Amino acid sequence: MINPGLSVNLGGIELASPLLAASGPFGYGHEYLERIDCSALGGIIVKGISLKPWPGNPPPRLAETASGLLNAIGLQNPGLDHFVKEDLPLLARAEPRLIVNIVGCDIDEYAAVAAGLSGLEGIDGLEVNISCPNLKAGGIAFGTDPAETYKVVGAVRRQTNLPLLVKLSPNVTDITIIARAAEAAGADGLSLINTLSGMLIDIETRKPLLGNIFGGLSGPAVLPVALKMVWQAAEAVKIPLLGMGGITTAEDALQFIMAGARAVAVGTGFFYEPEVISQVKEGLENYLVKHEIKALGKLEGAARKGGIINGAC
Amino acid sequence: MINPGLSVNLGGIELASPLLAASGPFGYGHEYLERIDCSALGGIIVKGISLKPWPGNPPPRLAETASGLLNAIGLQNPGLDHFVKEDLPLLARAEPRLIVNIVGCDIDEYAAVAAGLSGLEGIDGLEVNISCPNLKAGGIAFGTDPAETYKVVGAVRRQTNLPLLVKLSPNVTDITIIARAAEAAGADGLSLINTLSGMLIDIETRKPLLGNIFGGLSGPAVLPVALKMVWQAAEAVKIPLLGMGGITTAEDALQFIMAGARAVAVGTGFFYEPEVISQVKEGLENYLVKHEIKALGKLEGAARKGGIINGAC
Amino acid sequence: MVTEKQAIAPGYCRLSFKAPHIAGTAYPGQFVMVYMNSGYRHLLPRPFSIFTRNRDKEEVSLLFAVKGQGTELMASAEVGSLWKISGPLGSGFPALPEGSLLVAGGIGLAPLAFLAASIEKPRTLIYGARTASQLICPPGVLDLPNLEVIEVTEDGTRGERGTAADLLLGLLPGPPALFACGPGPMLRAVKTLCLHSGTPAWFSVEEKMACGIGACLGCAVQTPKGYSRVCREGPVFSAEEVFNND
Amino acid sequence: MVTEKQAIAPGYCRLSFKAPHIAGTAYPGQFVMVYMNSGYRHLLPRPFSIFTRNRDKEEVSLLFAVKGQGTELMASAEVGSLWKISGPLGSGFPALPEGSLLVAGGIGLAPLAFLAASIEKPRTLIYGARTASQLICPPGVLDLPNLEVIEVTEDGTRGERGTAADLLLGLLPGPPALFACGPGPMLRAVKTLCLHSGTPAWFSVEEKMACGIGACLGCAVQTPKGYSRVCREGPVFSAEEVFNND
Ligand SMILES: Cc1cc2nc3c(=O)[nH]c(=O)nc-3n(C[C@H](O)[C@H](O)[C@H](O)COP(=O)(O)OP(=O)(O)OC[C@H]3O[C@@H](n4cnc5c(N)ncnc54)[C@H](O)[C@@H]3O)c2cc1C
Ligand SMILES: Cc1cc2nc3c(=O)[nH]c(=O)nc-3n(C[C@H](O)[C@H](O)[C@H](O)COP(=O)(O)OP(=O)(O)OC[C@H]3O[C@@H](n4cnc5c(N)ncnc54)[C@H](O)[C@@H]3O)c2cc1C
Ligand SMILES: Cc1cc2nc3c(=O)[nH]c(=O)nc-3n(C[C@H](O)[C@H](O)[C@H](O)COP(=O)(O)O)c2cc1C
Ligand SMILES: Cc1cc2nc3c(=O)[nH]c(=O)nc-3n(C[C@H](O)[C@H](O)[C@H](O)COP(=O)(O)O)c2cc1C
Ligand code: FES
Ligand code: FES
């Protein structure tokens, strides 16, 4: 049983628990669902889906860093048709809400994937990953430019009535500009952050460690950066936020909630501790009980509103 | 004795060792010089100096994060006159080269500090910290905008013939644009990275942990991000680079060199291990001997040039 | 829980764990993930092949080389200390026909020792390393009925002189199947010999891992059909599937 | 090197270190930085006041409360293990005039015990805590010639009932000087009483630290003359200098 005080509404998606599996580390869900207790999970965001299958990057794709993980999977995925036929039926039976992360090389691909997923049984929302390189605009990521962000989110919005989250890239000068563009284009919520761009070098071969040279940094190392961007986005937009980046404990999750997130997602944390979600849930419940707070929602943005709130209120 | 193969020329500054103390953690030098063996240090970059004294931020100013440090000192400094009269005489006697980090609220202040430092005995170069908020342009940091970067670096350049490094902020969408602007405005070298913007929240008081709310993240946590920016800057400009961000070992330092840095600086590493510089120097020397490489310079950018180079060449 | 520790040679260690589920269900070629007891110092668990299994004592043992910080930590584990391990993971070796050849290079012995112990039919293990001190199999483990062990070192300090591949030249064709694990260059040479001689072969390969269960797509290796996951489709692949484009 | 460990009460510990330089030169109110043996898990060393010093044995001891991960690690240190500590750091207390009052709240006892042990003139120590179990001074340490110790607990479970400040009300004015260390609210109350009664007072205060030697400006506290460094100008400040604007 999840404490009813933990339920939240994330841009139209009713979640029994504010804890989600972030897109990517959790794959298409069934591997973890078979092995761990997922009863504390409010929702699963599956790995990014494109129209046609994407092959992904050459190995090695992973490297451990100080309190972090560098990955360059390259958005490998089996494509829309395969997902709908093979993965979705397995997932639709699962307890947690299902959100599908979508990717594309251009705006048409994003729109086509969104259209293909709309109206299907078992899908509760979409998350648009705008960190993909925009091949028609010289390879710069959609999510680093407000105009491109507005265009791609708008195109997806026109294809679907599903609740729409937009997943922001942290590799930008000012996250609030991108956040506002996504909101203006019709997003129902924002997810942040995606990975920070980084790399490592093998000093023996004197080559980059990852097959793709660059990768994305995640895990506890990035938590302070993620938290600040959630704080800033919370000041910039009215739609709810899904916070993520380095969460492995209830204390981490609470920091995101207090910075302004409605719910939080865990990615790399599953590698560190597969039972992470049950542990975080327990910690959240204990915190609410200890401070006599009836609903987690009371804490949303608490740190931006001047600190300690009265538990009873 | 430092292995002569470790000497490098950083934008006109001859360094007996490629290991520098980064601006800030090392203060104005004398505290550490009194306590640790600094013979392996090629240069000291002192904490940012403004025209008038700056008070700094309210405490707390520090918080430990996963493999990282969050700081919000707020560029507290005693101002140009005090530095020249009180600190410089103590430092000018020291063995390592001396580089002065300069800060300002507007372009005139930067220029005035540069002018005031030019021609003084014992100063071997300047480092312009362009991460300061530009008060005349709405508080956005100079270093996040290429035009402002060009202006402030140009203004400093006109005041001095000293070798000029420009210290880049990592909180930007595309570091190469800022790097090119600094080069075009007359920089002799680039220092990168400054700290990543971040924050933490105390879940008991439900307030930001730092007095200033936001702070800068440094230490091993940020190394992969720093390394990637050095790699990108190395592709974008011809002037030499001073790499930094999370270095505590010779392996870390070598990664920066192989990504394209001419020399490296250590900041947070001094807190972790005050003798860090001696240890890194020893590790570098061992690497050169083991691989029969005569000069560290041979490794500059090695990872961008296709991996293993022949030790003899 | 760590039930036994054997410091074998400098830089090598064997750890036994009480793990009823793993000991009960594992088959040769499968691996486990060992979680590091170090906070954020090591976010990722480390993968290790199962070296031996004892169903009665509900134990498995791992044989490993100390490579970096994680294996160093493991080598300093104390008997009785609690370590989290998960498994069995991955797809192991196919059934071993009579007369099979097993080829182990260095620490690659781990999965092959378990494979060798899985049947009692006649079979041959070539166990090679650069030098005698790297032939680190703990005494007794390879004393198996009907198993012929041929040791080979590149410098001739123990067994035959040469590489495992050198030895194979004289043994192929013939055996109905070959199973190998070891460093990349060795596996590449073995692959060439197997293809030439028409010997079906299976290799256990390595790649960096995060989830270990097929979710994250981090452990991809290139195969003719695209990328495969070492942790799910592997770690055992047929010789045709791997080492094609490098 | 850790030479002795005393687990005092749950959550409190005393560690003694062999440290000739520190033991030889430290004066009361100074502190040391203890480096954590944990890789990047704890980048920063932790500051602790010197609790006792033994010049002959070249030892100092620290008395600390287990607050977070760092002090937990210290509490699990084994005798004989090597820990890096640096010091003595900071500016300690001024010389103690005869008849001085020392006021310690909880773990704030640490620097005052060293101060009390520095002279043999008559002096009085008020040692307060919320409840008896938090009066954790190891036996013997406060058995000093001419030292009067007055214990006080808020719940009256040991010594007088009330706060240290309550007790002070009856003792001020009179003493030539007062020296205190403890939680912020206690020091604020003590400050008010000292200013009212015209008693010169010095406090040992805390702030997060990184370098510990005055270089990084991380440990600033607000004083009437601007920010001062707790690690260099402090940790001992006169009552006028601190707790002014909060
Ligand atoms: C399926 C599988 C089975 C394995 N079985 C064994 C075994 O039985 N015995 C044994 O000694 N080793 C085995 N390995 C390799 C073992 O996982 C690594 O040696 C170990 O993870 C290194 O950890 P570390 O922290 O000590 O080293 P790190 O500091 O992480 O790295 C040190 C070196 O080890 C390499 N390495 C790190 N992680 C892996 C990995 N996941 N796979 C391959 N290389 C890696 C790094 O590239 C680096 O060169 C196996 C690997 C896989 C994928
Ligand atoms: C000059 C000085 C002398 C001190 N002397 C003693 C002493 O004799 N005995 C003793 O028990 N403690 C002393 N402290 C406090 C001690 O340094 C902290 O309790 C310790 O650093 C906590 O480390 P941690 O890793 O266990 O906790 P963390 O996990 O780092 O933090 C736990 C709690 O401790 C607080 N804390 C962390 N670092 C400091 C710090 N540098 N100063 C104050 N609070 C901090 C945090 O805000 C948090 O509330 C002293 C502090 C200073 C500045
Ligand atoms: C292995 C891996 C794969 C990922 N794949 C995706 C993806 O397909 N789409 C996406 O939007 N984010 C992806 N991410 C980013 C995560 O969803 C998340 O934003 C990021 O890792 C920060 O959270 P964490 O620190 O909890 O992992 C991936 C992250 C990792 C580590
Ligand atoms: C406490 C502290 C103070 C700093 N002060 C300055 C400063 O005054 N000027 C500046 O350009 N950078 C300053 N920096 C940034 C460092 O010089 C360096 O760029 C950054 O910390 C990354 O390197 P590191 O991980 O080795 O610390 C400061 C960093 C720290 C931790
Ligand atoms: S390690 Fe995650 S898919 Fe193999
Ligand atoms: S801790 Fe660095 S100045 Fe005090």
Side-chain angles (χ1 to χ4, degrees), chain B residues 264-295:
Chain B
V264 298
V266 173
T268 306
F270 282 101
F271 306 146
Y272 178 63
E273 170 54 65
E275 301 292 345
V276 59
I277 293 290
S278 307
Q279 293 175 4
V280 172
K281 186 206 81 167
E282 200 183 313
L284 291 182
E285 289 175 345
N286 291 343
Y287 187 92
L288 294 189
V289 169
K290 180 174 160 206
H291 295 88
E292 296 178 14
I293 297 168
K294 292 218 181 68

Coordinates of all heavy atoms in Angstrom, one line a residue, chain B residues 264-295:
Chain B
V264 N 47.4 22.3 -16.8 CA 46.2 22.1 -16.0 C 46.2 22.8 -14.7 O 47.3 23.0 -14.2 CB 45.9 20.6 -15.8 CG1 45.7 19.8 -17.1 CG2 47.0 20.0 -15.0
A265 N 45.1 23.0 -14.1 CA 45.0 23.7 -12.8 C 44.2 22.8 -11.9 O 43.3 22.1 -12.3 CB 44.4 25.1 -12.9
V266 N 44.5 22.9 -10.6 CA 43.8 22.2 -9.5 C 43.2 23.2 -8.6 O 43.9 24.1 -8.1 CB 44.8 21.3 -8.8 CG1 44.1 20.6 -7.6 CG2 45.4 20.2 -9.7
G267 N 41.9 23.0 -8.2 CA 41.3 23.9 -7.3 C 40.8 23.1 -6.1 O 41.6 22.9 -5.1
T268 N 39.6 22.5 -6.2 CA 39.1 21.7 -5.1 C 40.0 20.6 -4.6 O 40.0 20.2 -3.4 CB 37.7 21.1 -5.6 OG1 36.9 22.2 -6.1 CG2 37.0 20.4 -4.5
G269 N 40.8 20.1 -5.5 CA 41.8 19.1 -5.1 C 42.6 19.4 -3.9 O 43.1 18.5 -3.2
F270 N 42.9 20.7 -3.7 CA 43.7 21.1 -2.6 C 43.0 20.8 -1.2 O 43.6 20.6 -0.2 CB 44.1 22.6 -2.6 CG 45.2 22.9 -3.6 CD1 44.9 23.4 -4.8 CD2 46.5 22.6 -3.2 CE1 45.9 23.7 -5.7 CE2 47.5 22.9 -4.1 CZ 47.3 23.4 -5.4
F271 N 41.7 20.9 -1.3 CA 40.9 20.6 0.0 C 41.0 19.1 0.3 O 41.1 18.7 1.4 CB 39.5 21.1 -0.2 CG 39.3 22.5 -0.6 CD1 38.3 22.9 -1.4 CD2 40.2 23.5 -0.2 CE1 38.1 24.2 -1.8 CE2 40.1 24.8 -0.6 CZ 39.0 25.1 -1.4
Y272 N 40.9 18.3 -0.8 CA 40.8 16.9 -0.7 C 42.2 16.4 -0.2 O 42.3 15.5 0.6 CB 40.5 16.3 -2.0 CG 40.4 14.8 -2.2 CD1 39.5 14.1 -1.4 CD2 41.3 14.2 -3.0 CE1 39.5 12.7 -1.6 CE2 41.2 12.8 -3.2 CZ 40.3 12.1 -2.4 OH 40.3 10.7 -2.6
E273 N 43.2 17.0 -0.7 CA 44.6 16.5 -0.4 C 45.6 17.7 -0.7 O 45.9 17.9 -1.8 CB 44.9 15.3 -1.3 CG 46.4 14.9 -1.3 CD 46.9 14.6 0.1 OE1 46.4 13.7 0.7 OE2 47.8 15.3 0.6
P274 N 46.0 18.3 0.4 CA 46.8 19.5 0.2 C 48.1 19.2 -0.6 O 48.6 20.1 -1.3 CB 47.2 19.9 1.6 CG 46.0 19.4 2.4 CD 45.6 18.2 1.8
E275 N 48.6 18.0 -0.5 CA 49.8 17.7 -1.3 C 49.5 17.2 -2.7 O 50.4 16.6 -3.4 CB 50.6 16.6 -0.6 CG 51.0 16.9 0.9 CD 52.1 18.0 0.9 OE1 52.7 18.3 -0.1 OE2 52.3 18.6 2.0
V276 N 48.3 17.5 -3.2 CA 47.9 17.0 -4.5 C 48.9 17.3 -5.6 O 49.1 16.5 -6.5 CB 46.5 17.6 -4.9 CG1 46.5 19.1 -4.9 CG2 45.9 17.0 -6.1
I277 N 49.5 18.5 -5.6 CA 50.4 18.9 -6.8 C 51.6 18.0 -6.8 O 52.0 17.5 -7.9 CB 50.7 20.4 -6.7 CG1 49.5 21.2 -6.9 CG2 51.8 20.7 -7.7 CD1 48.9 21.2 -8.3
S278 N 52.2 17.7 -5.7 CA 53.4 16.9 -5.7 C 53.0 15.5 -6.2 O 53.8 14.9 -6.9 CB 54.0 16.7 -4.3 OG 54.2 18.0 -3.7
Q279 N 51.9 15.0 -5.8 CA 51.5 13.7 -6.2 C 51.2 13.6 -7.7 O 51.6 12.7 -8.4 CB 50.2 13.3 -5.4 CG 50.5 13.1 -3.9 CD 49.2 12.8 -3.2 OE1 48.1 12.6 -3.7 NE2 49.3 12.7 -1.8
V280 N 50.5 14.6 -8.2 CA 50.2 14.6 -9.6 C 51.5 14.7 -10.4 O 51.7 14.1 -11.4 CB 49.3 15.8 -10.0 CG1 49.1 15.9 -11.5 CG2 47.9 15.6 -9.4
K281 N 52.4 15.6 -10.0 CA 53.7 15.7 -10.7 C 54.4 14.4 -10.8 O 54.9 14.0 -11.8 CB 54.6 16.8 -10.0 CG 55.9 17.1 -10.8 CD 57.0 17.5 -9.9 CE 57.7 16.4 -9.2 NZ 59.0 16.7 -8.7
E282 N 54.5 13.7 -9.7 CA 55.2 12.4 -9.6 C 54.5 11.5 -10.6 O 55.2 10.8 -11.4 CB 55.1 11.9 -8.2 CG 56.2 10.8 -8.0 CD 56.1 10.2 -6.6 OE1 55.9 11.0 -5.6 OE2 56.1 9.0 -6.5
G283 N 53.2 11.5 -10.6 CA 52.5 10.6 -11.6 C 52.8 10.9 -13.0 O 52.9 10.0 -13.9
L284 N 52.8 12.2 -13.3 CA 53.1 12.6 -14.7 C 54.5 12.2 -15.1 O 54.8 11.6 -16.2 CB 53.1 14.2 -14.8 CG 51.7 14.8 -14.7 CD1 51.8 16.3 -15.0 CD2 50.7 14.2 -15.8
E285 N 55.5 12.4 -14.2 CA 56.9 12.0 -14.5 C 57.0 10.5 -14.7 O 57.6 10.0 -15.7 CB 57.8 12.4 -13.4 CG 58.0 13.9 -13.4 CD 58.8 14.4 -12.2 OE1 59.0 13.7 -11.2 OE2 59.2 15.6 -12.2
N286 N 56.3 9.7 -13.9 CA 56.3 8.3 -14.1 C 55.7 7.9 -15.4 O 56.2 6.9 -16.1 CB 55.5 7.6 -13.0 CG 56.2 7.7 -11.6 OD1 57.4 8.0 -11.6 ND2 55.5 7.4 -10.5
Y287 N 54.6 8.5 -15.8 CA 54.0 8.2 -17.1 C 55.0 8.5 -18.2 O 55.1 7.6 -19.1 CB 52.7 9.0 -17.3 CG 51.9 8.6 -18.5 CD1 50.9 7.6 -18.4 CD2 52.1 9.2 -19.7 CE1 50.1 7.3 -19.5 CE2 51.4 8.8 -20.8 CZ 50.4 7.9 -20.7 OH 49.7 7.5 -21.8
L288 N 55.6 9.6 -18.2 CA 56.6 10.0 -19.3 C 57.7 8.9 -19.3 O 58.0 8.5 -20.4 CB 57.1 11.4 -19.1 CG 56.2 12.5 -19.2 CD1 56.9 13.9 -19.1 CD2 55.3 12.4 -20.4
V289 N 58.2 8.6 -18.2 CA 59.3 7.6 -18.2 C 58.8 6.2 -18.7 O 59.4 5.6 -19.6 CB 59.9 7.4 -16.7 CG1 60.8 6.3 -16.6 CG2 60.6 8.7 -16.3
K290 N 57.7 5.8 -18.2 CA 57.2 4.5 -18.6 C 57.0 4.4 -20.1 O 57.2 3.3 -20.7 CB 55.9 4.2 -17.8 CG 55.2 2.9 -18.1 CD 54.0 2.6 -17.2 CE 53.1 1.5 -17.9 NZ 51.8 1.6 -17.4
H291 N 56.4 5.4 -20.6 CA 56.1 5.4 -22.1 C 57.2 6.0 -22.9 O 57.0 6.3 -24.1 CB 54.8 6.1 -22.3 CG 53.6 5.3 -21.7 ND1 53.2 5.6 -20.4 CD2 52.9 4.3 -22.2 CE1 52.2 4.8 -20.2 NE2 52.0 4.0 -21.2
E292 N 58.3 6.3 -22.3 CA 59.5 6.9 -23.0 C 59.1 8.1 -23.9 O 59.4 8.2 -25.0 CB 60.1 5.8 -23.9 CG 60.7 4.7 -23.1 CD 61.3 3.6 -24.0 OE1 61.5 3.8 -25.2 OE2 61.6 2.5 -23.4
I293 N 58.4 9.0 -23.2 CA 58.1 10.3 -23.9 C 58.9 11.4 -23.3 O 59.0 11.5 -22.1 CB 56.6 10.6 -23.6 CG1 55.7 9.5 -24.3 CG2 56.2 11.9 -24.2 CD1 54.3 9.5 -23.9
K294 N 59.6 12.1 -24.1 CA 60.6 13.1 -23.6 C 59.9 14.4 -23.1 O 60.4 15.0 -22.1 CB 61.5 13.5 -24.8 CG 62.4 12.3 -25.2 CD 63.9 12.9 -25.5 CE 64.7 11.7 -25.9 NZ 64.3 11.1 -27.2
A295 N 58.8 14.8 -23.7 CA 58.2 16.0 -23.3 C 56.7 15.9 -23.2 O 56.1 15.3 -24.2 CB 58.5 17.2 -24.2

